[in-house]
Amino acid sequence: MLTPEENTRLTRVGPGTPMGTLMRRYWQPACLSSELPENDGAPLRVRLLGEDLIAFRDTEGKVGLVDAYCPHRRAPLFFARNEECGLRCVYHGWKFDSNGDCVDMPSEPAGTTLQAKVKLLAYPVVERGGVVWTYMGPKDAKPPEPDYEWTRAPATHRYVSKTFENCNFLQALEGGLDTSHSSFAHNNHMSNKAEPRQRDRAPKIDVERTDYGYYYVSTRDMGEEGKYVRVYQYVMPAQQMRANNVGWFGGKNEMPRADGHIWVPIDDTTTHVYNWMCSYDASVAFTPEWIEAREKAMGRGQDDLIPGTFRLKRNQTNDYEIDRARQKKEIYTGIVGVNTQDFALQEGMGSICDRSKEFLGSSDKAVVAMRRLLLEALEISAKGANPRGLDSETYRAVRPHDRIVPPGQDWRQLFEGELKTKW
Amino acid sequence: MLTPEENTRLTRVGPGTPMGTLMRRYWQPACLSSELPENDGAPLRVRLLGEDLIAFRDTEGKVGLVDAYCPHRRAPLFFARNEECGLRCVYHGWKFDSNGDCVDMPSEPAGTTLQAKVKLLAYPVVERGGVVWTYMGPKDAKPPEPDYEWTRAPATHRYVSKTFENCNFLQALEGGLDTSHSSFAHNNHMSNKAEPRQRDRAPKIDVERTDYGYYYVSTRDMGEEGKYVRVYQYVMPAQQMRANNVGWFGGKNEMPRADGHIWVPIDDTTTHVYNWMCSYDASVAFTPEWIEAREKAMGRGQDDLIPGTFRLKRNQTNDYEIDRARQKKEIYTGIVGVNTQDFALQEGMGSICDRSKEFLGSSDKAVVAMRRLLLEALEISAKGANPRGLDSETYRAVRPHDRIVPPGQDWRQLFEGELKTKW
Amino acid sequence: MLTPEENTRLTRVGPGTPMGTLMRRYWQPACLSSELPENDGAPLRVRLLGEDLIAFRDTEGKVGLVDAYCPHRRAPLFFARNEECGLRCVYHGWKFDSNGDCVDMPSEPAGTTLQAKVKLLAYPVVERGGVVWTYMGPKDAKPPEPDYEWTRAPATHRYVSKTFENCNFLQALEGGLDTSHSSFAHNNHMSNKAEPRQRDRAPKIDVERTDYGYYYVSTRDMGEEGKYVRVYQYVMPAQQMRANNVGWFGGKNEMPRADGHIWVPIDDTTTHVYNWMCSYDASVAFTPEWIEAREKAMGRGQDDLIPGTFRLKRNQTNDYEIDRARQKKEIYTGIVGVNTQDFALQEGMGSICDRSKEFLGSSDKAVVAMRRLLLEALEISAKGANPRGLDSETYRAVRPHDRIVPPGQDWRQLFEGELKTKW
């Protein structure tokens, strides 16, 4: 449970808010690289932390991320011309490069001194792992560039997609750090009692703080087979990493890998979820067929999205196409698609979950730990100090892992070496 | 005319508001029984007095009405599993019965003490007359269960339907207590000058207060034939009862009966109207054909509703399909359907009518009397005393009546015995 | 740049606001005459300066403009009966004439004194030039009726249309007083370098204040050919007049004429634009074909509007159907239709442009001058004095002009006689 004030503090992300200020200390995904497919292509609307921005890939392939409005008379730069290494506003022809410098001002007399004075707000940008990242914080506090195993992996061993979620980021992040719900919300084969997460639905959870956030160990009793141990990583402010070595039906997963999400606030009540997958076995690359099958299982395959958007067809307006008959016997939620199930639950809490009315249990340990870290980071940040996870050295070698630990063995020994990155 | 403050006080119904608190002292319709057709069927969203709730019919047929959000982490219970006498949240499997008691908590270790502590908000429910009624007030002040002639009548002699109205309840209730407008808004045969309500369009109105609210007598001059006298009942807080013995074209109605509405606030700006009909002649049951014809005349037949909803197809978005040519000569409003006409006028006032700008006449006596009773009840209720109409003994024998009173006769004598219930 | 307070003061137009009060000192277009095509026809909804009104043409052809709600119980007069020189509310039959006097009250007893007391809010109306004008200010301060060359011109030499714009009026008016943007936003033939506005894209702007507002002279260098001089008129509070003698490709325009817009606030965030054209050469009348071709070029031809509305099909919801390929080589904005281009830029600034973030140049002189005049007029009006442009004598003879001024010649001599009306 949080006080209403704490809930507000943790969930509002606009300019000048405490959480908005904290979020701006970190590099954030702005869009997928694939959303800017060609040099001098169409500008792209990006809404991030409550700010309206325009992304564009210039003539040389460099990505700019700038204010959505021209500083002259506030005309919309979405309609601008992307040409010769700059965005040119179509109202009066003023042109700005990806640094926000004004490089042409044809509506003013030649030699105008205005051109040197006017600046377009522009945020620094880097592309890593198929994602365009930006830094929206104080200029003198820019941290090292984002650097994860999945951003370092070759494109053949990595996949990133993006989905739109119609609620505040925090309740989505909480779902991502909650291993317990997978025994219920994601039970898509109710007749399968062999699945580790069905054999013990009340996992023991142990959280260990780190310099980047925490990892937590979820332990499920498997009887004579031992224990199912799953280590999740939480990288501040809003990234989850989870392992997929053990299959849903028990045994080895068909494609052992690390998966993860980053929850990026569009504004206070909407979120973009970046979904990444990374194969760390150099001998096993992803195939397009496997990727599409996997995305479909998650509920975000090509046919699951409203064309031209990152929105699910199964959404709030149609109750996620819940099938009450299948819910009785086959799929615990009655809803098809793992992340669709998450969205139904998370969006269904309302735009911003009212945490002053919740009642937490021991299964919520990881959720509570994340909130505490964020609340502490707000205080640290307010004092001008550095919150955890800014420096890429703290998180660059991090990865999740899971396996079944036979009776009498210590998971720490078995996991040693597996919690460190291979790429 | 009301002051802006009085208007606000009478129209806001959310938790903690004066009118919201008063409304919660009475049993209120939550939904139709037919909206929960089967045991263990799909949960139903119910929004009532600004609160989001879920209704469900459990394995034994008992109806529960509970908070729309799980008390654990606020997941939406609309997606819950309705099974084995309880609702089970699909996020972590917590299960609650219709009393709100937690009966299973599978995500926590066996023997957890949490289960006994957590409660789901649950309101008491009774089913009467095809309606699910609930009581949302203080536990120790629950009044006797609702008990009307129409709830006691056999199902063969009773019919209840429900419609959605896109405005505050009060302006709708006012329309229901306003006999005068039927001479205008409901004049659907402009060439018919014989109709009693067309022969005298300025009825005399006399209001008599009672323990349940009031009845009022509307008297229209019929010349040599005498007077057309119509007695309406107002049962607090928001029920109207009207008689239909005398037909629209004069003479005996084809199906003498009592009709009524209850206006139930969904929230401040939307309302559910429960429409009931009751034949008190044991020898004359309603037939499905007659009911459908009657509902159609009111504008809410099966073909008049947007499928799967209680909303009229003829609504604000299409100006109620007003036909200006028919308005010239045939139908006074140009709009088809008696209650559609009411909706056009009531919804057309805006979400909440601004009564500080009105200018009342003698035809508005009943409207004024109702507002006074409600304002008094707000004061009575605020002092912790009981407002009128709580006890079913005050209203259980009440019914409306109308007939043509020949010259020289006293309506009170003729109506004696007719204003008391037969079922 | 404006302070946030100034920006608010200039853009809010509801009753009681400073700009709303100023706007109400002037006659304003309420609708097109053609929107009320027949006597006793259907009432028309008019929203003007944040007020909801109803216009109707009575039995004798006189137009009334009244409160949208009946003063009795606030029923919507849109559904009223327009009959026998008055609007009759269909709730209780109260009837009002175009002056707002109650002329019948059938729901009250004969001889009621109520009828003389109740008034329906009614604003004075005149029809001029195919437009229904109204005056919503203090009764004792009504200025002379609107009187422009284009309202005096014969119907054969005049055309008026209306479009809906989804933003505050001020950013639209600013676009209309900004000659500079036509070199960019309206460059629809990028290969045509001969066009005067392409030959010099940084016009010199000189503003001369007048009793009705100002005129401004925009001067573009045409090299050996001399200068292209264009005089715009700004008639307070929100009318622009511009000349079209010189064609887009240079040379004489095929139909020399004056054009103009009036921006009329529907409310703070939406605007009706009245678009007029006037041929002042008595020998050259407009033909329907020419008008339609011209309207189409502006982006508001019959096929450009959503049927039954004044809204463009190319609008915010479809990014004005921008064609990025055509934008590269042919049309500067990639958007078809001159006013569609304006709408894209003006609506794209957001509902109300944030002028505290702008950065003005010398091309914005006319915009700045208009804001100053309005800010001064707010002060003048607040002191109870008369702002500029109230008296039709100040503006009745005004018109715009443009032509190419050969080297060595003085534009003032050439323009003399052309800046005065011919009708």
Side-chain angles (χ1 to χ4, degrees):
Chain A
M1 204 180 94
L2 295 179
T3 65
E5 187 281 330
E6 285 169 332
N7 201 35
T8 298
R9 192 148 31 110
L10 280 179
T11 52
R12 268 55 166 197
V13 296
T17 61
M19 182 54 86
T21 303
L22 180 64
M23 281 282 186
R24 282 166 175 79
R25 298 294 308 275
Y26 298 86
W27 286 92
Q28 296 283 353
C31 63
L32 297 173
S33 290
S34 58
E35 292 181 78
L36 296 168
E38 50 178 351
N39 297 358
D40 287 340
L44 178 76
R45 288 190 185 97
V46 170
R47 188 166 161 81
L48 193 54
L49 299 172
E51 297 184 39
D52 287 314
L53 305 169
I54 294 291
F56 66 105
R57 191 180 294 280
D58 76 8
T59 314
E60 293 171 354
K62 186 163 185 290
V63 174
L65 184 68
V66 298
D67 191 356
Y69 303 99
C70 179
H72 175 207
R73 288 256 299 283
R74 309 287 297 160
L77 291 178
F78 173 73
F79 297 114
R81 304 173 61 83
N82 184 7
E83 58 189 14
E84 291 164 35
C85 283
L87 267 195
R88 189 185 286 284
C89 178
V90 293
Y91 206 179
H92 301 89
W94 295 18
K95 182 174 168 185
F96 303 87
D97 66 16
S98 60
N99 297 319
D101 291 324
C102 186
V103 294
D104 194 20
M105 197 178 262
S107 65
E108 292 295 312
T112 175
T113 58
L114 227 57
Q115 190 177 320
K117 290 184 203 156
V118 67
K119 286 281 290 181
L120 173 66
L121 173 75
Y123 291 120
V125 163
V126 294
E127 288 190 86
R128 292 283 180 280
V131 169
V132 173
W133 305 76
T134 191
Y135 170 73
M136 300 165 71
K139 276 191 183 153
D140 55 0
K142 190 168 72 171
E145 295 175 0
D147 185 12
Y148 302 97
E149 181 176 43
W150 65 271
T151 62
R152 294 190 301 270
T156 46
H157 288 63
R158 174 238 301 157
Y159 186 74
V160 194
S161 69
K162 171 173 150 181
T163 32
F164 171 89
E165 188 166 357
N166 195 26
C167 64
N168 183 262
F169 80 99
L170 190 63
Q171 62 218 57
L173 169 60
E174 288 172 350
L177 295 174
D178 173 355
T179 194
S180 170
H181 81 280
S182 62
S183 299
F184 307 93
H186 303 320
N187 181 358
N188 294 329
H189 304 277
M190 286 166 65
S191 58
N192 173 23
K193 307 295 184 192
E195 208 278 322
R197 279 168 286 190
Q198 294 308 317
R199 291 175 62 177
D200 181 355
R201 302 189 299 172
K204 180 168 164 292
I205 290 170
D206 298 288
V207 178
E208 292 287 334
R209 284 190 173 199
T210 63
D211 287 344
Y212 55 84
Y214 65 63
Y215 68 85
Y216 81 88
V217 189
S218 113
T219 308
R220 283 177 163 92
D221 188 14
M222 299 278 284
E224 294 179 358
E225 292 169 53
K227 293 178 189 306
Y228 174 50
V229 176
R230 207 168 189 218
V231 173
Y232 285 72
Q233 301 287 355
Y234 166 52
V235 183
M236 290 184 66
Q239 182 165 192
Q240 168 243 55
M241 297 177 174
R242 66 191 190 281
N244 276 296
N245 293 297
V246 178
W248 179 254
F249 291 92
K252 189 83 172 170
N253 200 323
E254 88 281 19
M255 173 70 83
R257 71 192 182 281
D259 287 347
H261 298 289
I262 309 178
W263 290 270
V264 184
I266 300 170
D267 48 32
D268 289 350
T269 58
T270 59
T271 301
H272 272 136
V273 192
Y274 287 79
N275 316 291
W276 58 262
M277 303 190 286
C278 176
S279 166
Y280 39 79
D281 182 343
S283 69
V284 187
F286 294 147
T287 64
E289 295 72 29
W290 182 86
I291 286 172
E292 178 59 16
R294 178 71 191 160
E295 291 288 280
K296 185 173 175 176
M298 298 306 275
R300 52 177 198 253
Q302 284 312 304
D303 289 345
D304 299 320
L305 299 177
I306 298 172
T309 77
F310 298 98
R311 293 170 188 248
L312 305 191
K313 287 179 185 169
R314 290 190 286 274
N315 59 38
Q316 283 173 303
T317 66
N318 52 27
D319 291 332
Y320 308 88
E321 298 182 2
I322 187 170
D323 182 329
R324 297 287 185 182
R326 294 184 78 180
Q327 185 180 30
K328 286 282 178 206
K329 303 208 165 166
E330 182 190 350
I331 301 176
Y332 198 84
T333 57
I335 293 168
V336 170
V338 173
N339 285 165
T340 317
Q341 294 155 1
D342 289 321
F343 279 27
L345 292 166
Q346 295 160 8
E347 295 177 335
M349 293 168 179
S351 292
I352 301 179
C353 180
D354 182 355
R355 293 175 182 78
S356 70
K357 293 182 176 165
E358 66 187 9
F359 191 96
L360 300 179
S362 64
S363 70
D364 304 304
K365 265 188 195 168
V367 168
V368 170
M370 174 273 290
R371 294 178 190 174
R372 280 204 193 118
L373 273 177
L374 285 180
L375 285 168
E376 286 177 25
L378 289 177
E379 287 183 32
I380 290 163
S381 176
K383 286 176 191 156
N386 283 347
R388 288 165 204 252
L390 276 192
D391 188 344
S392 56
E393 284 306 311
T394 63
Y395 61 74
R396 69 180 306 284
V398 162
R399 60 124 70 126
H401 193 59
D402 69 336
R403 65 175 290 180
I404 292 169
V405 177
Q409 295 203 30
D410 180 5
W411 74 268
R412 286 181 190 272
Q413 285 186 327
L414 286 176
F415 278 52
E416 200 181 354
E418 291 294 341
L419 295 173
K420 286 187 202 117
T421 54
K422 303 205 170 164
W423 293 109
Chain B
M1 205 181 94
L2 295 178
T3 65
E5 187 282 329
E6 285 169 333
N7 201 36
T8 298
R9 190 148 34 108
L10 280 179
T11 53
R12 268 55 166 199
V13 296
T17 60
M19 181 55 86
T21 302
L22 179 64
M23 281 283 187
R24 281 166 175 78
R25 297 294 308 275
Y26 298 86
W27 287 92
Q28 297 282 355
C31 63
L32 296 173
S33 289
S34 58
E35 291 181 79
L36 296 168
E38 51 178 351
N39 297 358
D40 287 341
L44 178 75
R45 289 190 184 98
V46 171
R47 187 165 161 82
L48 193 54
L49 299 172
E51 295 184 38
D52 287 313
L53 306 169
I54 294 291
F56 66 104
R57 191 179 293 280
D58 76 9
T59 314
E60 293 170 355
K62 187 165 184 290
V63 175
L65 183 69
V66 299
D67 190 355
Y69 303 98
C70 178
H72 175 209
R73 288 256 298 282
R74 310 285 296 161
L77 291 177
F78 174 74
F79 298 114
R81 305 174 60 84
N82 183 8
E83 59 189 15
E84 291 164 34
C85 283
L87 267 195
R88 189 184 285 282
C89 179
V90 293
Y91 206 1
H92 301 89
W94 294 19
K95 183 174 168 184
F96 302 88
D97 66 16
S98 60
N99 298 317
D101 291 324
C102 185
V103 294
D104 194 20
M105 197 176 262
S107 65
E108 293 294 314
T112 176
T113 58
L114 228 56
Q115 189 176 322
K117 290 183 203 157
V118 68
K119 287 280 289 181
L120 174 66
L121 173 76
Y123 291 120
V125 163
V126 295
E127 287 188 88
R128 293 284 181 277
V131 169
V132 173
W133 304 77
T134 191
Y135 170 74
M136 300 164 71
K139 277 194 181 148
D140 55 1
K142 190 166 71 170
E145 294 175 1
D147 186 11
Y148 302 96
E149 182 177 42
W150 66 270
T151 62
R152 294 189 301 272
T156 47
H157 288 62
R158 175 237 304 157
Y159 185 74
V160 195
S161 69
K162 170 174 149 180
T163 32
F164 171 88
E165 189 167 355
N166 196 26
C167 64
N168 182 263
F169 80 101
L170 191 62
Q171 61 218 58
L173 169 59
E174 288 172 349
L177 295 174
D178 173 354
T179 193
S180 170
H181 80 281
S182 62
S183 299
F184 307 94
H186 302 321
N187 181 358
N188 294 330
H189 304 277
M190 286 168 63
S191 58
N192 173 24
K193 307 295 183 191
E195 208 277 322
R197 279 169 286 189
Q198 293 308 317
R199 290 176 61 176
D200 180 358
R201 301 188 299 172
K204 180 168 164 291
I205 290 172
D206 298 288
V207 178
E208 291 287 335
R209 284 191 172 198
T210 64
D211 286 345
Y212 55 84
Y214 66 62
Y215 67 87
Y216 81 88
V217 190
S218 113
T219 308
R220 283 178 163 90
D221 188 14
M222 300 278 285
E224 294 179 357
E225 292 169 54
K227 292 177 188 309
Y228 174 51
V229 176
R230 208 168 187 217
V231 173
Y232 285 73
Q233 301 286 355
Y234 165 53
V235 183
M236 291 185 64
Q239 182 165 192
Q240 168 242 54
M241 297 177 173
R242 66 189 189 281
N244 276 296
N245 293 297
V246 177
W248 179 255
F249 291 91
K252 190 84 174 169
N253 201 323
E254 88 280 21
M255 172 71 83
R257 71 195 183 280
D259 287 347
H261 299 288
I262 309 178
W263 290 270
V264 184
I266 300 171
D267 49 32
D268 289 349
T269 57
T270 58
T271 301
H272 273 136
V273 191
Y274 287 79
N275 317 291
W276 58 262
M277 303 190 284
C278 177
S279 166
Y280 40 78
D281 183 342
S283 69
V284 187
F286 294 146
T287 64
E289 295 73 25
W290 183 86
I291 287 172
E292 178 57 16
R294 179 72 191 158
E295 291 287 280
K296 186 173 174 175
M298 299 306 276
R300 51 178 198 251
Q302 284 311 303
D303 289 345
D304 298 320
L305 300 177
I306 297 172
T309 77
F310 297 99
R311 294 171 188 246
L312 305 191
K313 287 179 185 168
R314 289 189 286 273
N315 59 38
Q316 284 174 301
T317 66
N318 53 26
D319 290 333
Y320 306 90
E321 298 181 3
I322 187 170
D323 182 329
R324 297 287 183 181
R326 293 184 78 179
Q327 185 180 30
K328 287 280 176 206
K329 303 207 165 165
E330 182 191 349
I331 300 176
Y332 197 84
T333 57
I335 294 167
V336 170
V338 172
N339 286 165
T340 317
Q341 293 155 3
D342 289 322
F343 279 28
L345 292 166
Q346 294 160 9
E347 295 177 335
M349 293 169 180
S351 291
I352 301 180
C353 181
D354 182 355
R355 292 175 183 77
S356 71
K357 293 184 176 164
E358 67 187 8
F359 191 96
L360 301 179
S362 64
S363 70
D364 305 304
K365 267 189 193 167
V367 168
V368 170
M370 174 272 289
R371 294 179 190 172
R372 281 204 193 117
L373 274 177
L374 285 180
L375 285 169
E376 286 178 24
L378 289 176
E379 288 184 31
I380 291 164
S381 176
K383 286 177 189 156
N386 282 346
R388 289 166 203 251
L390 276 192
D391 189 344
S392 56
E393 284 307 311
T394 64
Y395 62 74
R396 69 179 307 284
V398 163
R399 62 120 73 117
H401 193 58
D402 69 336
R403 64 175 292 180
I404 292 169
V405 177
Q409 294 203 31
D410 179 4
W411 74 268
R412 287 181 190 273
Q413 283 186 330
L414 286 175
F415 278 53
E416 201 182 354
E418 291 293 342
L419 295 173
K420 287 189 201 115
T421 54
K422 302 204 170 167
W423 294 111
Chain C
M1 203 181 96
L2 294 179
T3 66
E5 187 282 329
E6 285 169 332
N7 201 34
T8 297
R9 192 148 31 109
L10 280 180
T11 53
R12 268 54 168 199
V13 296
T17 60
M19 182 53 86
T21 301
L22 180 64
M23 281 284 187
R24 282 165 175 80
R25 298 293 309 276
Y26 298 86
W27 287 93
Q28 296 283 354
C31 63
L32 296 173
S33 289
S34 57
E35 293 181 79
L36 297 168
E38 50 179 350
N39 297 357
D40 287 342
L44 178 75
R45 288 189 184 97
V46 170
R47 188 165 162 82
L48 193 54
L49 299 172
E51 296 184 39
D52 287 313
L53 306 170
I54 294 292
F56 66 105
R57 191 180 293 282
D58 76 9
T59 314
E60 293 171 355
K62 188 165 185 290
V63 175
L65 184 68
V66 298
D67 190 355
Y69 303 99
C70 178
H72 176 208
R73 288 255 299 282
R74 310 285 298 161
L77 291 178
F78 173 74
F79 297 114
R81 305 173 61 83
N82 183 8
E83 58 189 15
E84 290 163 34
C85 283
L87 268 195
R88 189 184 284 284
C89 178
V90 293
Y91 206 0
H92 300 89
W94 295 18
K95 183 176 166 184
F96 301 88
D97 65 16
S98 59
N99 298 317
D101 291 325
C102 185
V103 294
D104 194 20
M105 198 178 260
S107 65
E108 292 295 313
T112 176
T113 57
L114 228 57
Q115 190 177 321
K117 290 184 202 156
V118 68
K119 286 280 289 180
L120 173 66
L121 174 74
Y123 291 120
V125 163
V126 293
E127 287 188 270
R128 293 283 180 279
V131 170
V132 173
W133 305 77
T134 191
Y135 171 73
M136 300 165 72
K139 276 192 183 151
D140 55 1
K142 190 168 71 172
E145 295 174 1
D147 185 10
Y148 301 97
E149 181 176 43
W150 65 272
T151 61
R152 293 190 301 271
T156 47
H157 288 63
R158 176 236 302 156
Y159 185 75
V160 195
S161 69
K162 171 175 150 180
T163 32
F164 170 89
E165 189 166 355
N166 195 27
C167 64
N168 183 263
F169 80 100
L170 191 62
Q171 61 218 58
L173 169 59
E174 288 172 349
L177 295 175
D178 173 354
T179 194
S180 169
H181 80 281
S182 62
S183 299
F184 307 93
H186 303 320
N187 181 357
N188 294 329
H189 304 279
M190 287 167 64
S191 58
N192 173 24
K193 307 295 183 193
E195 208 277 322
R197 280 169 286 191
Q198 294 308 316
R199 291 175 61 177
D200 181 356
R201 302 188 299 172
K204 180 166 164 293
I205 290 171
D206 297 288
V207 177
E208 291 287 335
R209 284 191 173 198
T210 63
D211 286 345
Y212 55 83
Y214 66 62
Y215 68 86
Y216 81 88
V217 189
S218 112
T219 308
R220 283 178 163 91
D221 188 14
M222 299 278 284
E224 294 179 358
E225 293 169 52
K227 294 178 188 306
Y228 173 49
V229 176
R230 208 170 187 215
V231 173
Y232 285 73
Q233 301 286 356
Y234 166 52
V235 183
M236 290 185 65
Q239 183 166 192
Q240 169 242 52
M241 296 177 174
R242 67 190 187 281
N244 276 297
N245 293 297
V246 177
W248 179 254
F249 291 91
K252 190 84 174 169
N253 201 324
E254 89 280 20
M255 172 70 85
R257 70 194 184 280
D259 287 347
H261 298 290
I262 309 178
W263 289 270
V264 184
I266 299 171
D267 48 32
D268 288 351
T269 57
T270 58
T271 301
H272 272 136
V273 191
Y274 288 77
N275 317 292
W276 58 261
M277 303 190 285
C278 177
S279 166
Y280 40 79
D281 182 343
S283 69
V284 187
F286 293 147
T287 64
E289 295 72 27
W290 183 87
I291 287 172
E292 178 59 16
R294 178 72 191 159
E295 290 289 281
K296 186 172 174 176
M298 299 306 276
R300 51 179 197 251
Q302 285 311 304
D303 288 346
D304 299 319
L305 299 177
I306 298 172
T309 77
F310 296 98
R311 293 171 188 247
L312 304 191
K313 288 180 185 168
R314 290 189 285 273
N315 59 38
Q316 284 174 303
T317 66
N318 52 27
D319 290 332
Y320 307 87
E321 297 181 3
I322 188 170
D323 182 330
R324 297 286 184 182
R326 293 184 79 180
Q327 185 180 30
K328 286 282 177 206
K329 304 208 166 166
E330 181 191 349
I331 300 175
Y332 198 85
T333 58
I335 294 168
V336 170
V338 173
N339 285 165
T340 317
Q341 293 155 2
D342 289 321
F343 279 28
L345 291 167
Q346 295 161 8
E347 296 178 335
M349 293 170 180
S351 292
I352 301 180
C353 180
D354 183 354
R355 292 175 183 77
S356 71
K357 293 183 177 164
E358 65 188 8
F359 191 96
L360 301 179
S362 64
S363 70
D364 304 303
K365 266 189 195 167
V367 168
V368 170
M370 175 273 289
R371 295 180 189 171
R372 281 205 194 119
L373 274 177
L374 285 180
L375 285 168
E376 286 177 24
L378 289 175
E379 287 183 33
I380 290 164
S381 176
K383 286 177 191 157
N386 283 347
R388 288 164 204 252
L390 276 192
D391 189 343
S392 57
E393 284 306 311
T394 64
Y395 61 74
R396 69 179 306 283
V398 161
R399 61 123 68 121
H401 193 58
D402 69 337
R403 64 175 290 179
I404 293 169
V405 177
Q409 295 203 30
D410 180 4
W411 74 267
R412 286 182 191 270
Q413 283 186 327
L414 286 175
F415 278 53
E416 200 181 354
E418 290 294 342
L419 294 172
K420 287 188 201 119
T421 54
K422 302 205 170 164
W423 293 111

